[in-house]
Amino acid sequence: MPNRTPISLYLFFAIWVSANVAPITSKSTIEPCSNSDTCNALVGYTLYTDLKVSEVASLFQIDPISLLTANSIDISYPDVENHILPSQLFLKIPILCSCIDGIRKSVTTRYMTRPSDSLSTIADSVYGGLVSADQIKEANSISDPSVLDVGQTLVVPLPCTCFNGTDNFLPAIYMSYVVQDVDTLSGIAASYLTTITDLMTVNALGSPAINAGDILALPLSACTSNLPRYASDYGLSVPNGSYAITASHCVQCSCGPGTRNLYCMPSSLAVSCSSMQCRNSNLMLGNITWQQSSAGCNVTSCSYGGYVNGSIITTLSTSLQPRCPGIQQFPPLIAPPSWVGPSLLAPAPAPSQAGGAATNPKSSIVPLSGSGLGLSPTNAPSGGLSSAGQVVNPLATFPLAIFFRLLCNFILSSSL
């Protein structure tokens, strides 16, 4: 009578293999929501190959100028939209964060498939792990992911959070960041001028341990606006140290170093724009005048009030301040990067660390009506965790169907 290996041994081995080939799921911070409001947000993106500015913008369906200003790249360079950005350059991508199916996400990004594309290469390579193949499959109701038509347009859902636009009750914009192999939570905190405690609270982390592929929400200090709801750029917010372009490229707003006051002025691209002069005044948008008195400093300013039905709204205001304003401090601009330096190895380097020379804004320097101190946050609103891109165990490359078929054949032959 032949020796028979107990069936339980095979079952144990099969269960062990199944457990070891199961995907190791990365984590992504999510924010539950129940309304239809939106907010400005960012995703951190590393170029997978050399791309023109316009190509990167097309990947995310955003304005190329908005991409440049979000990264403090000088837009006055000739033909800057066709400048070729180097592979491995890290960029902050401005996106609109919405409430979809009860959680925050951005669904404005579209991707047109090319020959040899797969959902995995689109998710992991083209979009750098910001989305998973399963999320693209679900968002597009794809029944057979192995069959993609060339030229097919796919919705690419991107992670984002709003958290009421605050961090520790101070203005903030949140950036979704994909953890890299070299990253530590302390290194990320140091790079973005926050604390480990703050990042743990925002991302609902039980410990500082993070894994490559995790997607964290990083709070960035910001300058916010107080524009009316009927303005097309309602909710305008600019991260500290960068710029934003609005009002059909007519207005440029900045959030200077060490301040939380948004400053707006005519942009260098302003050509066919509505009037930017304040009513009943000779002041233009961004102009500030003051007069010292025994009671303090009388300050008059012409400020940005939003973009409404194709018209730029300006607001004239007068106030008595303890001190007269100093010189407006602009975030430093960099030349369009053409190479990536060793600083790329640090957690999420800024573009100014990636091969771009600092330049001065082309706009004239004007007085500032006051500034606030940028403080490092220590606490934050709590988020949640969900599945994101998957890190697959190497054993998963062995086709499970083949394995189990061979296993069943072996069991049957041993039982005979």
Side-chain angles (χ1 to χ4, degrees), residues 33-84:
C33 56
S34 59
N35 51 39
S36 59
D37 65 335
T38 59
C39 75
N40 295 323
L42 299 165
V43 292
Y45 178 66
T46 302
L47 270 64
Y48 68 102
T49 187
D50 292 354
L51 292 172
K52 295 179 184 178
V53 171
S54 58
E55 288 180 298
V56 179
S58 179
L59 274 180
F60 294 92
Q61 267 73 60
I62 61 172
D63 177 16
I65 299 300
S66 296
L67 171 64
L68 294 169
T69 55
N71 291 277
S72 299
I73 297 174
D74 197 340
I75 60 176
S76 67
Y77 276 71
D79 200 25
V80 69
E81 294 176 347
N82 285 316
H83 178 82
I84 299 176

Side-chain angles (χ1 to χ4, degrees), residues 80-270:
V80 69
E81 294 176 347
N82 285 316
H83 178 82
I84 299 176
L85 299 171
S87 176
Q88 299 304 305
L89 178 70
F90 181 83
L91 294 171
K92 298 172 184 175
I93 309 293
I95 60 173
L96 187 66
C97 189
S98 304
C99 183
I100 308 294
D101 299 328
I103 63 171
R104 293 287 183 189
K105 66 176 73 171
S106 176
V107 292
T108 58
T109 296
R110 301 288 186 273
Y111 177 79
M112 184 175 291
T113 57
R114 299 170 297 188
S116 76
D117 271 341
S118 68
L119 293 186
S120 295
T121 58
I122 295 170
D124 299 332
S125 178
V126 178
Y127 287 97
L130 285 165
V131 64
S132 70
D134 285 341
Q135 288 169 337
I136 298 177
K137 176 184 175 183
E138 180 181 354
N140 295 275
S141 301
I142 297 175
S143 56
D144 185 359
S146 65
V147 179
L148 291 178
D149 296 328
V150 175
Q152 181 178 352
T153 299
L154 300 177
V155 175
V156 181
L158 297 175
C160 62
T161 52
C162 295
F163 292 128
N164 296 320
T166 62
D167 181 45
N168 291 315
F169 305 104
L170 296 175
I173 290 181
Y174 287 83
M175 181 175 73
S176 297
Y177 173 72
V178 181
V179 175
Q180 305 299 307
D181 289 328
V182 297
D183 282 338
T184 62
L185 200 64
S186 59
I188 295 172
S191 294
Y192 290 97
L193 304 179
T194 186
T195 65
I196 296 176
T197 302
D198 194 22
L199 293 182
M200 289 180 63
T201 304
V202 168
N203 294 280
L205 298 177
S207 75
I210 53 176
N211 299 309
D214 289 348
I215 302 177
L216 301 179
L218 308 184
L220 308 182
S221 174
C223 298
T224 57
S225 61
N226 190 27
L227 305 181
R229 283 189 173 271
Y230 53 81
S232 61
D233 47 3
Y234 168 75
L236 177 65
S237 187
V238 182
N240 194 267
S242 64
Y243 296 81
I245 200 83
T246 187
S248 294
H249 291 179
C250 291
V251 176
Q252 175 180 290
C253 299
S254 63
C255 184
T259 182
R260 292 186 182 274
N261 297 316
L262 189 66
Y263 176 78
C264 299
M265 62 184 294
S267 79
S268 60
L269 302 178

